Structure formats: C-alpha cells, structure tokens
Amino acid sequence: MHPTPPLIPHSALLSTTAPASPRTPATPGFYLRTRPHGFAAHVCASPQNLFAVRQLARAELLAQGVEDDAVDSAQLVLSELVGNSVRAYGDYVPLVVEVYVTAYGVTVNVHDPDPGALPRRRATPLDSAEAEAGRGLGLVDLLAPGWHVRRSAIGKQVRCRVPAESGWN
C-alpha cells in the first residue's frame, strides 16, 4: 500500500510542475494532491478556483503529451461538471476534481457531497438558439461518451473519460 501524499497549496504545484500556468497566490479552499499522470484538487467551488483548476488541467495534460483538442475537451467537461455541482448545491460547495491521463484517454472525475442528487440530462437540443441552459450534459455525452455516476466516500462521483492519445505510453 502506498502512503497518501500530503495536501499542498495549488500555488506550490503551479510554480513547480506547470511553469506555463499563471502563478496564483495560495487560496483558502484549494489544495492539490499529485497522482500518477495528473492531480486531485480539493476545492471549494468558486470562479477563481474553477479558473485555477482549468489552468492546472491544461498545463498538466499538455505536459503529459495530450493533444490540444483533447485538452480543450477535458477542460469543457471539467467546467460543465463543476458548474452542475454549483447549480445544485450553491457557491463554495466542497468538491474534489481529479484529472489524469491513462492509456485510454483523459479521466475527469468530480466528487460532490450529495450521494442522492443525480445529474439529469435535459431534452434541450445542442443546437437550440433559444435555450439558455440545459445543454451541459449533452456536451459531456459528446466529449466523454459513457460517463457515469457512482457513490463515493465523499458523496458521489461523476466519472468521465475523454478519448485522447497521450505521448507518455
């Protein structure tokens, strides 16, 4: 069994593993754990923390050799899942966002504290000019087919895999 790595402020990781990312000061409610080929970010959802985790995901995935299109798709999936959690539970909901590369693509997992509230797809067409909301999970369906939800120690986890070629395997 491997020991659990310590939690570290995101600014420390950004300044050491992702020099192309903007340097941001340590933020309360944002901690990172490194993991093979990626990271797990423990965050209180906020616009600043979403921006930081998106930038970190971009830097980490590019460093792993993932192509730009797959990086963009993973960032969009991450944003949609975090946005759904914020809409369901409010600002500053505690989340765990995992992003890592496997031989099968980029995995994006978002854990939130409520095991009972499941994400629901709406019948909103993706090309609707009038719709102001309701297309997020449709986009996730396109970018990460076969995503699913499972209970976790935190509450529930939405698990997605964005198909991608990586440069490390």
Side-chain angles (χ1 to χ4, degrees):
M1 185 163 178
H2 300 288
T4 302
L7 290 172
I8 56 175
H10 76 288
S11 60
L13 188 63
L14 287 174
S15 65
T16 59
T17 63
S21 295
R23 293 178 191 250
T24 56
T27 304
F30 191 120
Y31 298 95
L32 286 175
R33 286 185 182 229
T34 59
R35 61 172 297 156
H37 310 292
F39 64 89
H42 300 249
V43 303
C44 286
S46 70
Q48 298 83 4
N49 287 344
L50 176 58
F51 177 78
V53 80
R54 281 179 50 91
Q55 296 297 66
L56 181 62
R58 171 169 284 291
E60 181 66 32
L61 294 175
L62 290 174
Q64 295 293 331
V66 176
E67 295 179 0
D68 280 335
D69 288 347
V71 171
D72 292 342
S73 294
Q75 283 185 300
L76 182 55
V77 167
L78 184 154
S79 294
E80 289 298 331
L81 297 179
V82 169
N84 284 348
S85 293
V86 170
R87 277 186 291 287
Y89 310 111
D91 292 337
Y92 305 106
V93 61
L95 303 173
V96 176
V97 179
E98 297 176 291
V99 178
Y100 55 95
V101 181
T102 70
Y104 304 104
V106 176
T107 298
V108 177
N109 300 330
V110 175
H111 302 256
D112 68 46
D114 188 351
L118 300 176
R120 293 181 309 203
R121 293 173 182 92
R122 294 184 186 171
T124 306
L126 292 176
D127 61 352
S128 171
E130 291 83 36
E132 293 182 19
R135 294 179 284 218
L137 291 178
L139 288 171
V140 173
D141 283 337
L142 287 175
L143 299 172
W147 64 272
H148 62 281
V149 181
R150 69 180 189 112
R151 286 184 183 257
S152 73
I154 296 167
K156 75 171 168 293
Q157 177 189 59
V158 180
R159 299 176 56 89
C160 299
R161 182 176 299 134
V162 176
E165 295 288 324
S166 65
W168 59 265
N169 41 343

